[in-house]
DNA sequence: GTCTATAAGCCGATAGAC
DNA sequence: GTCTATCGGCTTATAGAC
Protein backbone atom coordinates (compact mmCIF):
# COMPACT_ATOMS: atom_id res chain seq x y z
CA UNK A 1 0.00 0.00 0.00
CA UNK A 2 1.48 3.34 -1.05
CA UNK A 3 2.31 5.81 1.67
CA UNK A 4 1.44 9.47 1.53
CA UNK A 5 3.37 11.09 -1.28
CA UNK A 6 4.36 14.02 0.89
CA UNK A 7 5.75 11.76 3.61
CA UNK A 8 7.83 9.84 1.07
CA UNK A 9 9.14 13.06 -0.37
CA UNK A 10 10.09 14.28 3.10
CA UNK A 11 11.94 11.05 3.83
CA UNK A 12 13.89 11.43 0.60
CA UNK A 13 14.84 15.02 1.47
CA UNK A 14 15.90 13.95 4.97
CA UNK A 15 18.09 11.19 3.54
CA UNK A 16 19.58 13.58 0.99
CA UNK A 17 20.27 16.14 3.70
CA UNK A 18 22.15 13.65 5.83
CA UNK A 19 24.26 12.32 2.99
CA UNK A 20 24.86 15.55 1.04
CA UNK A 21 25.92 17.36 4.19
CA UNK A 22 28.09 14.52 5.44
CA UNK A 23 29.89 13.61 2.23
CA UNK A 24 29.29 16.40 -0.28
CA UNK A 25 26.95 16.74 -3.24
CA UNK A 26 28.95 15.09 -5.94
CA UNK A 27 30.27 12.36 -3.66
CA UNK A 28 26.75 11.10 -3.02
CA UNK A 29 24.89 9.15 -5.70
CA UNK A 30 21.17 9.18 -6.27
CA UNK A 31 21.27 5.46 -5.53
CA UNK A 32 22.69 6.11 -2.09
CA UNK A 33 19.97 8.66 -1.30
CA UNK A 34 17.23 6.30 -2.46
CA UNK A 35 18.69 3.45 -0.39
CA UNK A 36 18.92 5.63 2.71
CA UNK A 37 15.33 6.81 2.24
CA UNK A 38 14.11 3.24 1.76
CA UNK A 39 12.71 3.82 -1.72
CA UNK A 40 13.78 2.82 -5.20
CA UNK A 41 15.42 5.21 -7.54
CA UNK A 42 12.32 5.20 -9.67
CA UNK A 43 10.28 6.55 -6.77
CA UNK A 44 12.85 9.22 -6.11
CA UNK A 45 12.63 10.33 -9.72
CA UNK A 46 8.87 10.44 -9.38
CA UNK A 47 9.22 13.09 -6.67
CA UNK A 48 12.21 14.97 -8.08
CA UNK A 49 12.91 15.78 -11.68
CA UNK A 50 16.67 15.46 -11.30
CA UNK A 51 19.50 15.30 -8.82
CA UNK A 52 19.84 19.08 -9.14
CA UNK A 53 16.23 19.41 -8.06
CA UNK A 54 16.98 17.25 -5.03
CA UNK A 55 20.01 19.36 -4.13
CA UNK A 56 17.85 22.48 -4.17
CA UNK A 57 15.25 20.80 -1.94
CA UNK A 58 17.99 19.84 0.51
CA UNK A 59 19.10 23.45 0.97
CA UNK A 60 15.60 24.86 0.91
CA UNK A 61 14.72 22.68 3.90
CA UNK A 62 17.62 24.13 5.88
CA UNK A 63 16.81 27.80 5.29
CA UNK A 64 14.24 28.55 7.99
CA UNK A 65 15.57 26.22 10.72
CA UNK A 66 19.03 27.77 10.44
CA UNK A 67 17.71 31.33 10.58
CA UNK A 68 15.51 30.45 13.56
CA UNK A 69 18.51 29.05 15.40
CA UNK A 70 20.58 32.18 14.76
CA UNK A 71 17.76 34.29 16.14
CA UNK A 72 17.44 32.05 19.18
CA UNK A 73 21.15 32.27 19.95
CA UNK A 74 20.96 36.06 19.64
CA UNK A 75 17.98 36.28 21.96
CA UNK A 76 19.39 33.89 24.54
CA UNK A 77 22.56 35.92 25.00
CA UNK A 78 22.49 38.69 27.58
CA UNK A 79 23.98 42.16 27.27
CA UNK A 80 23.93 44.70 24.47
CA UNK A 81 23.74 44.03 20.77
CA UNK A 82 27.52 43.57 20.46
CA UNK A 83 27.48 40.88 23.13
CA UNK A 84 24.39 39.25 21.64
CA UNK A 85 26.01 38.95 18.22
CA UNK A 86 29.16 37.59 19.84
CA UNK A 87 26.85 35.07 21.50
CA UNK A 88 25.88 33.78 18.05
CA UNK A 89 29.52 33.07 17.28
CA UNK A 90 30.09 31.36 20.62
CA UNK A 91 27.05 29.15 20.17
CA UNK A 92 28.20 28.37 16.67
CA UNK A 93 31.63 27.42 18.00
CA UNK A 94 29.99 25.01 20.44
CA UNK A 95 28.02 23.37 17.64
CA UNK A 96 31.12 23.22 15.44
CA UNK A 97 32.86 21.09 18.04
CA UNK A 98 30.36 18.30 17.43
CA UNK A 99 32.10 15.49 15.52
CA UNK A 100 29.43 15.45 12.81
CA UNK A 101 29.85 19.16 12.05
CA UNK A 102 31.03 19.75 8.47
CA UNK A 103 30.79 23.48 7.94
CA UNK A 104 27.97 25.40 6.29
CA UNK A 105 25.92 23.38 3.82
CA UNK A 106 25.09 26.48 1.80
CA UNK A 107 28.71 27.57 1.42
CA UNK A 108 29.96 24.06 0.75
CA UNK A 109 27.36 23.60 -1.96
CA UNK A 110 28.25 26.91 -3.60
CA UNK A 111 31.91 25.88 -3.53
CA UNK A 112 31.15 22.52 -5.07
CA UNK A 113 28.85 23.93 -7.74
CA UNK A 114 31.08 26.92 -8.56
CA UNK A 115 31.05 25.89 -12.21
CA UNK A 116 27.26 26.21 -12.33
CA UNK A 117 26.65 29.86 -11.27
CA UNK A 118 22.91 29.91 -11.89
CA UNK A 119 22.18 26.60 -10.18
CA UNK A 120 18.92 26.71 -8.16
CA UNK A 121 20.75 25.51 -5.05
CA UNK A 122 23.17 28.43 -5.26
CA UNK A 123 20.28 30.89 -5.57
CA UNK A 124 18.72 29.37 -2.47
CA UNK A 125 22.01 29.66 -0.60
CA UNK A 126 22.50 33.27 -1.67
CA UNK A 127 18.95 34.15 -0.59
CA UNK A 128 19.53 32.44 2.76
CA UNK A 129 22.63 34.49 3.51
CA UNK A 130 20.90 37.66 2.38
CA UNK A 131 18.10 37.02 4.87
CA UNK A 132 20.65 36.77 7.66
CA UNK A 133 22.36 39.92 6.44
CA UNK A 134 19.09 41.84 6.29
CA UNK A 135 18.08 40.67 9.75
CA UNK A 136 21.41 41.87 11.15
CA UNK A 137 21.00 45.16 9.30
CA UNK A 138 17.57 45.70 10.84
CA UNK A 139 18.96 44.95 14.29
CA UNK A 140 21.74 47.51 13.83
CA UNK A 141 19.37 50.09 12.35
CA UNK A 142 17.16 49.78 15.41
CA UNK A 143 20.23 50.57 17.52
CA UNK A 144 20.79 53.79 15.64
CA UNK A 145 24.03 52.72 14.02
CA UNK A 146 25.06 55.02 11.17
CA UNK A 147 25.78 52.43 8.45
CA UNK A 148 23.80 49.38 9.55
CA UNK A 149 23.91 47.59 6.20
CA UNK A 150 27.69 47.79 5.96
CA UNK A 151 28.14 46.57 9.51
CA UNK A 152 25.69 43.72 8.91
CA UNK A 153 27.66 42.70 5.85
CA UNK A 154 30.89 42.67 7.83
CA UNK A 155 29.30 40.42 10.45
CA UNK A 156 28.25 38.04 7.66
CA UNK A 157 31.80 38.08 6.34
CA UNK A 158 33.12 37.08 9.75
CA UNK A 159 30.48 34.39 10.00
CA UNK A 160 31.22 32.90 6.59
CA UNK A 161 34.94 33.23 7.20
CA UNK A 162 34.64 31.29 10.42
CA UNK A 163 32.65 28.55 8.66
CA UNK A 164 35.41 28.24 6.08
CA UNK A 165 38.36 28.50 8.47
CA UNK A 166 36.95 26.06 11.04
CA UNK A 167 36.19 23.55 8.31
CA UNK A 168 39.74 23.84 7.00
CA UNK A 169 41.60 23.80 10.31
CA UNK A 170 39.06 21.84 12.36
CA UNK A 171 39.63 24.36 15.12
CA UNK A 172 36.55 26.09 16.53
CA UNK A 173 38.74 28.76 18.12
CA UNK A 174 38.46 30.64 14.82
CA UNK A 175 34.80 31.20 15.61
CA UNK A 176 35.61 32.71 18.99
CA UNK A 177 38.06 35.06 17.28
CA UNK A 178 35.40 36.00 14.74
CA UNK A 179 32.98 36.75 17.57
CA UNK A 180 35.55 38.98 19.22
CA UNK A 181 36.08 40.85 15.95
CA UNK A 182 32.33 41.28 15.56
CA UNK A 183 32.16 42.64 19.10
CA UNK A 184 34.86 45.22 18.34
CA UNK A 185 33.25 46.30 15.07
CA UNK A 186 29.81 46.69 16.60
CA UNK A 187 31.12 48.50 19.68
CA UNK A 188 33.10 50.81 17.45
CA UNK A 189 30.02 51.55 15.36
CA UNK A 190 27.89 52.16 18.45
CA UNK A 191 30.46 54.67 19.73
CA UNK A 192 30.09 56.59 16.49
CA UNK A 193 26.33 57.03 16.77
CA UNK A 194 25.01 60.56 16.38
CA UNK A 195 22.69 62.08 18.95
CA UNK A 196 20.34 60.06 21.13
CA UNK A 197 19.65 56.42 20.67
CA UNK A 198 16.72 55.89 18.36
CA UNK A 199 13.86 53.81 19.69
CA UNK A 200 12.67 52.29 16.42
CA UNK A 201 10.11 49.53 16.29
CA UNK A 202 11.45 46.43 17.95
CA UNK A 203 12.13 43.43 15.80
CA UNK A 204 10.54 40.22 16.95
CA UNK A 205 13.60 38.07 17.00
CA UNK A 206 12.21 35.18 19.01
CA UNK A 207 12.53 31.82 17.35
CA UNK A 208 9.46 29.72 17.88
CA UNK A 209 8.62 27.78 14.77
CA UNK A 210 8.86 24.48 16.59
CA UNK A 211 11.57 23.11 14.33
CA UNK A 212 13.96 20.81 16.09
CA UNK A 213 17.38 22.20 15.35
CA UNK A 214 20.59 20.35 15.91
CA UNK A 215 22.99 23.06 14.82
CA UNK A 216 23.82 25.32 11.95
CA UNK A 217 25.22 23.78 8.84
CA UNK B 1 61.21 10.15 -27.95
CA UNK B 2 60.21 10.71 -24.35
CA UNK B 3 60.26 14.25 -23.01
CA UNK B 4 61.75 15.17 -19.70
CA UNK B 5 59.75 13.55 -16.93
CA UNK B 6 59.66 16.75 -14.94
CA UNK B 7 58.26 18.74 -17.84
CA UNK B 8 55.52 16.18 -18.39
CA UNK B 9 54.68 16.20 -14.73
CA UNK B 10 54.46 19.99 -14.77
CA UNK B 11 52.12 19.92 -17.77
CA UNK B 12 49.88 17.47 -15.95
CA UNK B 13 49.78 19.69 -12.85
CA UNK B 14 49.02 22.73 -14.99
CA UNK B 15 46.15 20.92 -16.70
CA UNK B 16 44.83 19.69 -13.35
CA UNK B 17 45.04 23.18 -11.93
CA UNK B 18 42.99 24.67 -14.74
CA UNK B 19 40.30 22.03 -14.61
CA UNK B 20 40.09 21.47 -10.85
CA UNK B 21 39.85 25.19 -10.22
CA UNK B 22 37.36 25.80 -12.99
CA UNK B 23 34.98 22.89 -12.40
CA UNK B 24 35.78 21.42 -8.99
CA UNK B 25 37.72 18.37 -7.88
CA UNK B 26 35.09 15.70 -8.14
CA UNK B 27 33.56 17.12 -11.30
CA UNK B 28 36.83 16.58 -13.19
CA UNK B 29 37.88 13.10 -14.23
CA UNK B 30 41.43 11.85 -14.50
CA UNK B 31 40.70 11.27 -18.18
CA UNK B 32 39.92 14.96 -18.65
CA UNK B 33 43.17 16.00 -16.98
CA UNK B 34 45.20 13.59 -19.10
CA UNK B 35 43.51 14.80 -22.28
CA UNK B 36 44.14 18.43 -21.40
CA UNK B 37 47.79 17.69 -20.62
CA UNK B 38 48.19 15.78 -23.87
CA UNK B 39 49.22 12.52 -22.24
CA UNK B 40 47.51 9.21 -21.73
CA UNK B 41 46.03 8.19 -18.46
CA UNK B 42 48.76 5.61 -18.07
CA UNK B 43 51.41 8.33 -18.17
CA UNK B 44 49.50 10.36 -15.63
CA UNK B 45 49.44 7.37 -13.30
CA UNK B 46 53.16 6.97 -13.82
CA UNK B 47 53.72 10.44 -12.35
CA UNK B 48 50.98 10.39 -9.71
CA UNK B 49 49.99 7.47 -7.53
CA UNK B 50 46.33 8.47 -7.49
CA UNK B 51 43.89 11.25 -8.17
CA UNK B 52 44.26 12.31 -4.52
CA UNK B 53 47.99 12.69 -5.10
CA UNK B 54 47.26 14.90 -8.10
CA UNK B 55 44.86 17.04 -6.09
CA UNK B 56 47.56 17.63 -3.51
CA UNK B 57 50.06 18.58 -6.22
CA UNK B 58 47.54 21.06 -7.65
CA UNK B 59 47.24 22.93 -4.36
CA UNK B 60 50.92 22.65 -3.51
CA UNK B 61 51.74 24.47 -6.74
CA UNK B 62 49.49 27.37 -5.75
CA UNK B 63 50.93 27.92 -2.29
CA UNK B 64 53.95 30.14 -2.94
CA UNK B 65 52.56 32.12 -5.92
CA UNK B 66 49.48 33.10 -3.92
CA UNK B 67 51.50 34.17 -0.89
CA UNK B 68 53.86 36.17 -3.09
CA UNK B 69 50.94 37.97 -4.66
CA UNK B 70 49.46 38.87 -1.27
CA UNK B 71 52.82 40.31 -0.24
CA UNK B 72 53.08 42.27 -3.46
CA UNK B 73 49.62 43.79 -3.02
CA UNK B 74 50.53 44.74 0.53
CA UNK B 75 53.79 46.38 -0.55
CA UNK B 76 52.30 48.21 -3.49
CA UNK B 77 49.68 49.95 -1.35
CA UNK B 78 50.65 53.25 0.24
CA UNK B 79 49.86 54.44 3.74
CA UNK B 80 50.04 52.71 7.09
CA UNK B 81 49.60 49.04 7.81
CA UNK B 82 45.80 49.36 8.04
CA UNK B 83 45.66 50.90 4.57
CA UNK B 84 48.12 48.35 3.20
CA UNK B 85 46.02 45.44 4.42
CA UNK B 86 42.91 47.08 3.02
CA UNK B 87 44.87 47.29 -0.23
CA UNK B 88 45.08 43.49 -0.28
CA UNK B 89 41.30 43.26 -0.15
CA UNK B 90 40.87 45.87 -2.86
CA UNK B 91 43.31 44.09 -5.16
CA UNK B 92 41.55 40.85 -4.42
CA UNK B 93 38.22 42.42 -5.32
CA UNK B 94 39.66 43.51 -8.64
CA UNK B 95 40.87 40.00 -9.41
CA UNK B 96 37.53 38.53 -8.29
CA UNK B 97 35.77 40.54 -10.97
CA UNK B 98 37.57 38.54 -13.65
CA UNK B 99 35.04 36.17 -15.28
CA UNK B 100 37.25 33.14 -14.67
CA UNK B 101 37.50 33.79 -10.93
CA UNK B 102 35.96 30.95 -8.90
CA UNK B 103 36.88 31.68 -5.30
CA UNK B 104 39.77 30.24 -3.33
CA UNK B 105 41.03 26.87 -4.55
CA UNK B 106 42.16 25.92 -1.05
CA UNK B 107 38.81 26.65 0.58
CA UNK B 108 36.80 25.09 -2.23
CA UNK B 109 38.87 21.94 -2.00
CA UNK B 110 38.44 21.72 1.77
CA UNK B 111 34.69 22.17 1.30
CA UNK B 112 34.55 19.46 -1.33
CA UNK B 113 36.69 17.03 0.66
CA UNK B 114 35.00 17.75 3.99
CA UNK B 115 34.33 14.04 4.38
CA UNK B 116 38.09 13.27 4.23
CA UNK B 117 39.52 15.37 7.09
CA UNK B 118 43.08 14.08 6.87
CA UNK B 119 43.37 14.37 3.09
CA UNK B 120 46.83 15.61 2.00
CA UNK B 121 45.25 18.43 0.00
CA UNK B 122 43.45 19.70 3.09
CA UNK B 123 46.70 19.68 5.07
CA UNK B 124 48.34 21.71 2.32
CA UNK B 125 45.46 24.18 2.34
CA UNK B 126 45.55 24.53 6.11
CA UNK B 127 49.32 25.12 6.03
CA UNK B 128 48.89 27.72 3.30
CA UNK B 129 46.37 29.72 5.33
CA UNK B 130 48.55 29.41 8.42
CA UNK B 131 51.47 30.93 6.52
CA UNK B 132 49.34 33.92 5.60
CA UNK B 133 48.13 34.23 9.17
CA UNK B 134 51.68 34.09 10.55
CA UNK B 135 52.90 36.65 8.06
CA UNK B 136 50.10 39.02 9.09
CA UNK B 137 50.91 38.34 12.74
CA UNK B 138 54.54 39.27 12.20
CA UNK B 139 53.53 42.46 10.42
CA UNK B 140 51.29 43.47 13.31
CA UNK B 141 53.90 42.51 15.90
CA UNK B 142 56.40 44.78 14.17
CA UNK B 143 53.87 47.58 14.53
CA UNK B 144 53.73 47.07 18.28
CA UNK B 145 50.14 45.86 18.34
CA UNK B 146 49.22 44.23 21.63
CA UNK B 147 47.63 41.01 20.39
CA UNK B 148 49.07 40.58 16.91
CA UNK B 149 48.14 36.91 16.53
CA UNK B 150 44.47 37.51 17.32
CA UNK B 151 44.28 40.45 14.94
CA UNK B 152 46.00 38.42 12.21
CA UNK B 153 43.46 35.66 12.68
CA UNK B 154 40.61 38.13 12.37
CA UNK B 155 42.05 39.43 9.10
CA UNK B 156 42.22 35.86 7.82
CA UNK B 157 38.59 35.37 8.83
CA UNK B 158 37.58 38.43 6.82
CA UNK B 159 39.64 37.21 3.89
CA UNK B 160 38.16 33.71 3.89
CA UNK B 161 34.70 35.13 4.49
CA UNK B 162 35.05 37.37 1.46
CA UNK B 163 36.18 34.43 -0.68
CA UNK B 164 33.09 32.49 0.39
CA UNK B 165 30.61 35.37 0.13
CA UNK B 166 31.84 36.61 -3.25
CA UNK B 167 31.70 33.09 -4.64
CA UNK B 168 28.14 32.69 -3.41
CA UNK B 169 26.78 36.10 -4.44
CA UNK B 170 29.13 36.81 -7.33
CA UNK B 171 29.47 40.32 -5.97
CA UNK B 172 32.99 41.59 -5.32
CA UNK B 173 31.61 44.40 -3.15
CA UNK B 174 31.80 41.96 -0.24
CA UNK B 175 35.58 42.16 -0.52
CA UNK B 176 35.56 45.93 -0.28
CA UNK B 177 33.40 45.64 2.85
CA UNK B 178 35.84 43.10 4.29
CA UNK B 179 38.73 45.47 3.60
CA UNK B 180 36.91 48.27 5.38
CA UNK B 181 36.32 45.99 8.39
CA UNK B 182 40.00 45.04 8.40
CA UNK B 183 40.90 48.73 8.34
CA UNK B 184 38.71 49.44 11.35
CA UNK B 185 40.03 46.47 13.32
CA UNK B 186 43.67 47.34 12.65
CA UNK B 187 43.20 51.04 13.34
CA UNK B 188 41.42 50.18 16.56
CA UNK B 189 44.27 47.89 17.60
CA UNK B 190 46.89 50.51 16.72
CA UNK B 191 45.09 53.05 18.90
CA UNK B 192 45.41 50.65 21.81
CA UNK B 193 49.21 50.31 21.56
CA UNK B 194 51.15 50.82 24.76
CA UNK B 195 54.09 53.22 24.92
CA UNK B 196 56.35 53.97 21.98
CA UNK B 197 56.24 52.16 18.71
CA UNK B 198 58.61 49.22 18.70
CA UNK B 199 61.18 49.14 15.96
CA UNK B 200 61.49 45.39 15.57
CA UNK B 201 63.43 43.79 12.74
CA UNK B 202 61.76 44.64 9.49
CA UNK B 203 60.17 41.85 7.54
CA UNK B 204 61.20 41.52 3.94
CA UNK B 205 57.79 41.48 2.38
CA UNK B 206 58.83 42.08 -1.21
CA UNK B 207 57.61 39.45 -3.61
CA UNK B 208 60.23 38.62 -6.19
CA UNK B 209 60.22 34.93 -6.91
CA UNK B 210 59.55 35.58 -10.59
CA UNK B 211 56.31 33.60 -10.63
CA UNK B 212 53.79 34.93 -13.08
CA UNK B 213 50.65 35.40 -11.06
CA UNK B 214 47.25 35.86 -12.53
CA UNK B 215 45.32 36.28 -9.34
CA UNK B 216 44.56 34.58 -6.07
CA UNK B 217 42.51 31.47 -6.15
C1' DG C 1 58.40 6.97 -19.66
C1' DT C 2 54.87 6.56 -22.77
C1' DC C 3 51.71 3.86 -25.28
C1' DT C 4 47.00 0.79 -26.33
C1' DA C 5 43.54 -1.64 -24.27
C1' DT C 6 40.61 -2.93 -20.71
C1' DA C 7 39.07 -4.20 -16.14
C1' DA C 8 35.21 -3.85 -12.91
C1' DG C 9 31.96 -1.12 -11.34
C1' DC C 10 29.18 3.14 -10.53
C1' DC C 11 26.71 7.22 -12.65
C1' DG C 12 22.10 9.75 -13.62
C1' DA C 13 18.10 8.77 -15.67
C1' DT C 14 14.27 5.91 -17.90
C1' DA C 15 10.83 1.93 -19.68
C1' DG C 16 7.02 -0.37 -18.64
C1' DA C 17 4.30 -3.32 -15.21
C1' DC C 18 0.89 -2.98 -11.63
C1' DG D 1 3.06 6.04 -6.50
C1' DT D 2 5.94 2.39 -6.23
C1' DC D 3 8.10 -1.47 -8.16
C1' DT D 4 11.93 -4.46 -11.19
C1' DA D 5 15.10 -4.10 -14.64
C1' DT D 6 18.18 -1.81 -17.47
C1' DC D 7 20.33 1.74 -20.70
C1' DG D 8 24.49 4.01 -22.38
C1' DG D 9 28.14 6.25 -20.67
C1' DC D 10 31.63 7.49 -17.49
C1' DT D 11 34.73 6.32 -13.26
C1' DT D 12 39.52 5.27 -11.13
C1' DA D 13 42.97 2.45 -11.85
C1' DT D 14 45.86 -1.38 -14.03
C1' DA D 15 48.17 -5.05 -17.47
C1' DG D 16 51.56 -5.59 -20.54
C1' DA D 17 54.08 -3.93 -24.91
C1' DC D 18 57.88 -1.11 -26.42
Amino acid sequence: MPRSGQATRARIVAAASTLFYRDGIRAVSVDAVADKAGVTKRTLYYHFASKDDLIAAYLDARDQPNLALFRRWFEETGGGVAAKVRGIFRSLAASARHPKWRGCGFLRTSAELANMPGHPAIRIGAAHKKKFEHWMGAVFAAEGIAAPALLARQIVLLLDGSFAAVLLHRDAAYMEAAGDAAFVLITSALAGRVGQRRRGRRLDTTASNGVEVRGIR
Side-chain angles (χ1 to χ4, degrees), chain A:
Chain A
M1 174 175 153
R3 309 165 195 247
S4 152
Q6 281 300 96
T8 301
R9 194 194 136 98
R11 288 212 331 284
I12 295 169
V13 172
S17 186
T18 300
L19 296 180
F20 285 159
Y21 180 69
R22 193 187 66 189
D23 296 332
I25 302 291
R26 292 208 238 243
V28 172
S29 69
V30 174
D31 290 78
V33 174
D35 282 356
K36 180 112 182 164
V39 299
T40 62
K41 223 174 356 177
R42 193 66 190 84
T43 298
L44 187 150
Y45 275 106
Y46 172 81
H47 289 280
F48 300 93
S50 64
K51 184 179 180 179
D52 288 328
D53 194 19
L54 182 57
I55 298 165
Y58 145 59
L59 288 187
D60 200 47
R62 302 209 63 79
D63 176 50
Q64 290 303 320
N66 269 20
L67 291 171
L69 188 50
F70 280 127
R71 282 192 290 262
R72 183 187 305 177
W73 284 339
F74 180 87
E75 286 297 321
E76 286 176 353
T77 307
V81 64
K84 290 171 96 64
V85 170
R86 188 176 54 191
I88 292 176
F89 285 88
R90 289 182 175 172
S91 298
L92 194 64
S95 89
R97 289 187 174 98
H98 189 286
K100 287 190 180 175
W101 187 88
R102 300 273 170 89
C104 171
F106 299 96
L107 295 182
R108 278 178 58 206
T109 300
S110 90
E112 202 163 352
L113 303 184
N115 61 333
M116 308 173 77
H119 194 290
I122 293 179
R123 291 185 190 280
I124 289 167
H128 171 77
K129 295 288 182 182
K130 283 286 185 192
K131 286 176 199 169
F132 181 89
E133 188 177 335
H134 290 148
W135 167 55
M136 279 281 107
V139 166
F140 297 145
E143 294 286 325
I145 285 172
L150 176 62
L151 184 59
R153 178 161 292 199
Q154 293 170 340
I155 302 306
V156 170
L157 285 159
L158 288 167
L159 182 78
D160 289 346
S162 65
F163 273 124
V166 175
L167 183 62
L168 180 61
H169 297 291
R170 298 287 173 156
D171 178 3
Y174 278 84
M175 270 163 190
E176 317 274 5
D180 292 344
F183 186 89
V184 170
L185 288 173
I186 296 167
T187 302
S188 173
L190 284 170
R193 278 180 307 189
V194 287
Q196 74 290 355
R197 176 172 166 191
R198 283 181 227 163
R199 287 191 34 80
R201 47 198 161 72
R202 291 292 279 180
L203 294 166
D204 180 8
T205 49
T206 52
S208 58
N209 61 4
V211 178
E212 217 180 299
V213 273
R214 296 178 304 261
I216 292 293
R217 296 183 175 180

